Amino acid sequence: RVGWAGSVNRVGDLMLLQEVVRATAKEVDWVFMGYCPDALRPLIREFHPGVPVQDYPRALAELRLDIAVAPLVANAFNEAKSNLKLLEYGALGYPVVCSNLLPYQGTLSVIRVGNTPQQWTRAIRELAHDAPQRNALGSTLQQEVRQNWMIQSHLDAWLEAWTQKN
């Protein structure tokens, strides 16, 4: 189960994977949540419509993904984004394949690839056929998110930043 969660606003990012979905549709079950272009509908196993924001964490968890994908087109808007998508997937223990762009670079244990169909396809196939690697990557990412990215672990720093007098 290889999945993507996003809205119609992210169609450009998703279309990076159009050739990848076509190449792997008979090898993996593609699962989309939120949006799926008509051209990809026949190639995916499951489509789940978007949900209200308060239901999003539960709905994302219920996808039961083996691999999550986070494509980003290289443009100024995406370069200014955060790593939130990696944190969402990581909190659930999903191993992630993502674009190797600035927002996704850093210390999180994910598989970063160039935005070519060949690199994406190779990474997805390798993870799809290597359950121990998938499980280790997902567990490591989940541990990193829980140890370093949960606000409860940083409340003192946030309080100091917001109440500091200049």
Side-chain angles (χ1 to χ4, degrees), residues 52-163:
V53 68
Q54 67 270 16
D55 298 330
Y56 178 75
R58 177 195 42 77
L60 189 61
E62 287 176 352
L63 296 179
R64 300 176 333 275
L65 300 178
D66 296 304
I67 302 168
V69 295
L72 283 180
V73 171
N75 62 38
F77 179 78
N78 281 345
E79 291 286 348
K81 291 180 81 169
S82 73
N83 63 353
L84 179 60
K85 186 57 69 179
L86 304 186
L87 299 176
E88 291 174 358
Y89 290 148
L92 296 169
Y94 294 158
V96 176
V97 178
C98 65
S99 295
N100 190 16
L101 292 183
L102 183 62
Y104 293 164
Q105 293 171 350
T107 59
L108 291 172
S109 296
V110 296
I111 295 176
R112 294 172 186 85
V113 296
N115 279 342
T116 67
Q118 297 80 12
Q119 289 186 38
W120 276 94
T121 300
R122 182 174 53 248
I124 290 168
R125 282 179 172 151
E126 286 176 6
L127 271 185
H129 294 0
D130 191 342
Q133 181 187 7
R134 273 195 324 269
N135 294 336
L137 188 61
S139 294
T140 298
L141 181 56
Q142 185 176 51
Q143 182 179 359
E144 291 168 349
V145 169
R146 289 181 177 179
Q147 287 181 351
N148 302 315
W149 290 90
M150 303 302 282
I151 196 166
Q152 292 87 343
S153 304
H154 303 282
L155 288 175
D156 292 339
W158 277 93
L159 180 62
E160 182 178 335
W162 282 103
T163 60

Side-chain angles (χ1 to χ4, degrees), residues 1-5 14 17 20-21 24-25 27-33 43-48 60 63-71 89 94-98 120-121 123-129 134:
R1 294 176 63 84
V2 179
W4 175 84
L14 178 59
L17 301 185
V20 177
V21 173
T24 60
E27 302 169 52
V28 301
D29 291 338
W30 281 95
V31 179
F32 286 10
M33 184 174 80
L43 302 171
I44 68 169
R45 173 69 62 170
E46 293 176 22
F47 172 70
H48 301 265
L60 189 61
L63 296 179
R64 300 176 333 275
L65 300 178
D66 296 304
I67 302 168
V69 295
Y89 290 148
Y94 294 158
V96 176
V97 178
C98 65
W120 276 94
T121 300
I124 290 168
R125 282 179 172 151
E126 286 176 6
L127 271 185
H129 294 0
R134 273 195 324 269

